[in-house]
Amino acid sequence: MRTRTSRAMGAIILVMMLLAMVCTAFAADPTEESGTRYIECPDCGTMGVVLSDEGEAVPCETCADSGYVGYIQSPSSFYNTPMSLLPPIIAIALALITKEVYSSLFIGILVGGLLYSNFSFEGTVLHAFSDGIVASLSDSYNVGILIFLVILGTMVCLMNKAGGSAAFGRWAKKNIKSRAGAQLATILLGCLIFIDDYFNCLTVGSVMRPITDKQNVSRAKLAYLIDATAAPICIIAPISSWAAAVAGFAEDGQGLTLFIRAIPYNFYALLTIVMMIGMVLMHTEFGPMARYEKNAVETGDLFSGSNPYAMLDDEVDETRGSVLDLVLPIIVLVVACVIGMIYSGGFFSGENFVDAFSNSDASVGLMLGSAFGLLFAFVYYFIRKSMTFKEMMGCIPEGFKAMVPAILILTFAWSLKGMTDSLGAKFFVRDFVRTVSGIQMFLPVIVFIVGCFLAFATGTSWGTFGILIPIVQNVFEMSNPMAIICISACMAGAVCGDHCSPISDTTIMASAGAQCDHVNHVSTQLPYAISCAAISGITYLIAGILVMAGAPGILSLPIGVVLMAGFLFVAKSKRIAA
């Protein structure tokens, strides 16, 4: 481990030295450089208007009245260059090499500060902390998500102390007789909780951990099943926070219609479901996951290493409680979160259900819903006399402590995203996509790959939607069959990159939901996600060829399913392992 870490740190130092050497080459006046610092005015379509401080185009009225045309004035010489993607790349590489996520993310944040400040010590410190960590923790949306995390951690602690989790485990032991049954039940529950990926990760983890533990399913495999039924399910569910996000990013108020039309072409999400079910039924594992599953089956070691959530295993009485002590609070939590989301979208102010969900704020809705769910849990357990009032209050700090790993990683991941935003990474990717828009046959697979890379590097699906979907709408008329495939490729690529990325909030919450070491989850999930991504990319290539030939693009979906089935048969027969 020390050798790996030393080599990784040496590589980072070497990269930073090279950057320092070329810094002067990039230090010219940004307005004199050839490149892609232009942005398009959203009203008149003029290229070359200056960005506002928030990174948006100045409206055309301002263009006409003030003559604000030209390049964005950024303090960084690396703005909107390939270097803007260096901070997340370094953080991801370090996390995979050193198996230590906190320091890796922090180093990525510092690299972003260095590039933004042009290697100024004072500017680096101020940007990394003030504009990075402090800004992410002062953002109201982020704070709402953190409150939601703490409340769910508290509810998990309450359900454990009341004996609900243990009772559910005893019920499952009688009714679920196999490892395959436990995994299929996890997939089914993940598909049913399609409202929001955050809520999905933590709820499915809370419910299914006792069941999968009884059947000796490794925590790494549980984390994969949770992660693979979070974002990939939400992105094909019309009533979800993800549908609302896509509807908000699309132009002309047609977002929800586009979302529904794109579902059959969301090959990554659909093939992920096929892959999960196929691996369970065929008893197929490959890559590092095979070792984790082997240890769980043969020795009962669910972690194959340390358990970062071991503090939750103390003082849990497994003889008391009933299944209702787990199921009823979770049902109330689901209902309360749905009500909270439509409330945030204006349902009680006259909006219809669909519009309210489309306009909902996931942070506000989940925060309010979980707060009412927690209040119900307190009252319910008090009436049931499951525990004393003092014990219930003690679950609040215990639940907070249980979520500290997830909160810390989320904070650093949000801060790292702030670094990439300040370096104009999204505009660099946007202009790259524009340069390849003329190759229509290959555009679906190109958009998919760009979406994968951008979401992987930044750890955000929704930001990727916001960049790519408007571009596709500008390239194609929505009546063109290729447009829907490319819109879906945007969403599929974003979900794929989010699924693979160790700095993605959904990946982090899947680790928290399964109470699995985060780096172990990423390293075991990556071969599965990359395999599905490769088959999805081939399927998008076939779809583009079919459409250009005048055939229905949907014919590529059964071809993709056949390719996935063939891959799983090969993986089983060859026993692919790490």
Side-chain angles (χ1 to χ4, degrees):
M1 178 62 73
R2 289 182 179 178
T3 302
R4 282 184 178 179
T5 305
S6 300
R7 289 177 179 172
M9 293 304 298
I12 296 301
I13 293 172
L14 178 61
V15 170
M16 298 310 298
M17 289 175 64
L18 291 173
L19 285 175
M21 291 171 63
V22 302
C23 183
T24 54
F26 285 94
D29 182 354
T31 62
E32 296 178 358
E33 296 175 28
S34 60
T36 55
R37 286 186 172 78
Y38 288 120
I39 187 169
E40 183 176 317
C41 174
D43 296 323
C44 67
T46 302
M47 293 296 294
V49 297
V50 176
L51 289 173
S52 68
D53 293 338
E54 291 76 27
E56 299 175 351
V58 178
C60 60
E61 293 84 359
T62 307
C63 298
D65 297 340
S66 304
Y68 285 156
V69 293
Y71 290 96
I72 178 175
Q73 297 294 319
S74 172
S76 173
S77 299
F78 301 96
Y79 188 90
N80 204 3
T81 68
M83 293 293 184
S84 62
L85 294 174
L86 188 61
I89 290 173
I90 287 177
I92 291 167
L94 275 177
L96 295 176
I97 292 170
T98 66
K99 308 296 184 184
E100 209 295 303
V101 67
Y102 304 115
S103 62
S104 301
L105 288 172
F106 187 69
I107 290 173
I109 294 169
L110 290 180
V111 171
L114 281 169
L115 296 177
Y116 182 82
S117 66
N118 299 310
F119 293 87
S120 163
F121 176 78
E122 180 183 6
T124 297
V125 174
L126 289 176
H127 188 59
F129 285 92
S130 297
D131 300 332
I133 296 174
V134 173
S136 67
L137 287 175
S138 60
D139 182 87
S140 60
Y141 186 93
N142 293 348
V143 172
I145 295 301
L146 295 181
I147 293 173
F148 173 64
L149 271 176
V150 172
I151 291 177
L152 281 186
T154 302
M155 289 196 66
V156 170
C157 186
L158 283 168
M159 290 184 288
N160 286 345
K161 289 286 180 70
S165 299
F168 194 80
R170 293 193 297 269
W171 174 87
K173 189 175 182 180
K174 296 178 181 178
N175 293 275
I176 298 178
K177 303 295 186 180
S178 66
R179 298 179 76 253
Q183 294 176 71
L184 290 175
T186 303
I187 295 171
L188 177 61
L189 183 60
C191 292
L192 292 176
I193 304 180
F194 51 77
I195 300 168
D196 184 77
D197 54 329
Y198 294 167
F199 183 62
N200 179 301
C201 289
L202 296 174
T203 303
V204 174
S206 301
V207 174
M208 297 307 301
R209 272 197 312 272
I211 300 175
T212 54
D213 285 356
K214 294 289 185 183
Q215 296 296 333
N216 286 341
V217 177
S218 69
R219 290 292 179 88
K221 184 62 180 294
L222 175 61
Y224 166 71
L225 295 177
I226 293 172
D227 209 348
T229 54
I233 294 298
C234 291
I235 200 61
I236 56 174
I239 302 178
S240 69
S241 59
W242 286 58
V246 173
F249 290 131
E251 298 175 354
D252 302 327
Q254 55 183 333
L256 194 58
T257 301
L258 287 176
F259 183 91
I260 294 173
R261 291 174 63 192
I263 290 174
Y265 300 100
N266 201 317
F267 300 138
Y268 181 79
L270 297 172
L271 292 178
T272 294
I273 298 172
V274 173
M275 185 176 189
M276 282 190 298
I277 297 175
M279 286 194 302
V280 172
L281 295 179
M282 295 169 62
H283 304 285
T284 301
E285 306 291 348
F286 59 91
M289 186 72 80
R291 176 173 61 87
Y292 282 76
E293 284 290 85
K294 182 179 179 181
N295 289 342
V297 172
E298 295 181 356
T299 68
D301 181 3
L302 303 178
F303 300 93
S304 296
S306 61
N307 175 14
Y309 297 88
M311 76 283 290
L312 288 184
D313 295 335
D314 297 332
E315 301 178 3
V316 176
D317 186 355
E318 297 194 0
T319 62
R320 64 177 181 176
S322 66
V323 173
L324 198 63
D325 291 333
L326 176 75
V327 174
L328 186 58
I330 288 179
I331 291 175
V332 172
L333 183 64
V334 172
V335 173
C337 285
V338 172
I339 295 174
M341 291 187 70
I342 61 175
Y343 167 80
S344 69
F347 179 76
F348 299 102
S349 300
E351 295 286 344
N352 61 57
F353 183 86
V354 174
D355 290 340
F357 221 107
S358 298
N359 298 324
S360 65
D361 186 322
S363 175
V364 173
L366 294 177
M367 177 181 64
L368 295 178
S370 60
F372 279 99
L374 179 63
L375 179 61
F376 171 83
F378 280 140
V379 173
Y380 173 75
Y381 291 133
F382 183 79
I383 294 174
R384 285 265 297 159
K385 297 181 180 179
S386 301
M387 62 190 87
T388 65
F389 180 76
K390 184 177 180 180
E391 287 176 327
M392 287 191 290
M393 291 300 102
C395 288
I396 297 176
E398 288 296 320
F400 186 95
K401 286 193 293 184
M403 289 299 166
V404 164
I407 290 172
L408 187 56
I409 297 173
L410 265 181
T411 300
F412 282 165
W414 285 330
S415 303
L416 186 60
K417 178 184 178 297
M419 297 296 103
T420 59
D421 287 345
S422 68
L423 290 170
K426 61 182 180 180
F427 299 116
F428 170 74
V429 174
R430 177 207 63 191
D431 292 325
F432 172 77
V433 174
R434 287 187 185 278
T435 62
V436 299
S437 60
I439 315 174
Q440 292 198 9
M441 180 184 297
F442 302 103
L443 196 55
V445 67
I446 291 172
V447 170
F448 175 72
I449 293 172
V450 171
C452 290
F453 180 73
L454 182 58
F456 181 82
T458 60
T460 170
S461 296
W462 290 16
T464 305
F465 299 155
I467 296 168
L468 295 182
I469 289 179
I471 294 174
V472 172
Q473 288 189 291
N474 289 332
V475 172
F476 293 106
E477 293 291 335
M478 288 300 102
S479 58
N480 188 333
M482 188 71 80
I484 299 300
I485 297 177
C486 288
I487 289 284
S488 190
C490 293
M491 297 187 283
V495 169
C496 176
D498 180 273
H499 198 190
C500 296
S501 178
I503 60 175
S504 160
D505 45 9
T506 308
T507 308
I508 294 164
M509 289 192 180
S511 303
Q515 294 186 2
C516 169
D517 180 82
H518 182 61
V519 175
N520 290 346
H521 167 44
V522 173
S523 61
T524 54
Q525 172 172 270
L526 207 53
Y528 291 1
I530 291 175
S531 300
C532 188
I535 295 173
S536 300
I538 295 171
T539 308
Y540 277 115
L541 179 61
I542 295 172
I545 295 172
L546 288 174
V547 170
M548 292 303 294
I554 194 63
L555 294 178
S556 57
L557 179 58
I559 297 175
V561 173
V562 171
L563 289 174
M564 176 59 74
F567 171 78
L568 292 179
F569 275 111
V570 171
K572 183 177 178 64
S573 62
K574 299 294 184 181
R575 296 186 179 275
I576 302 173

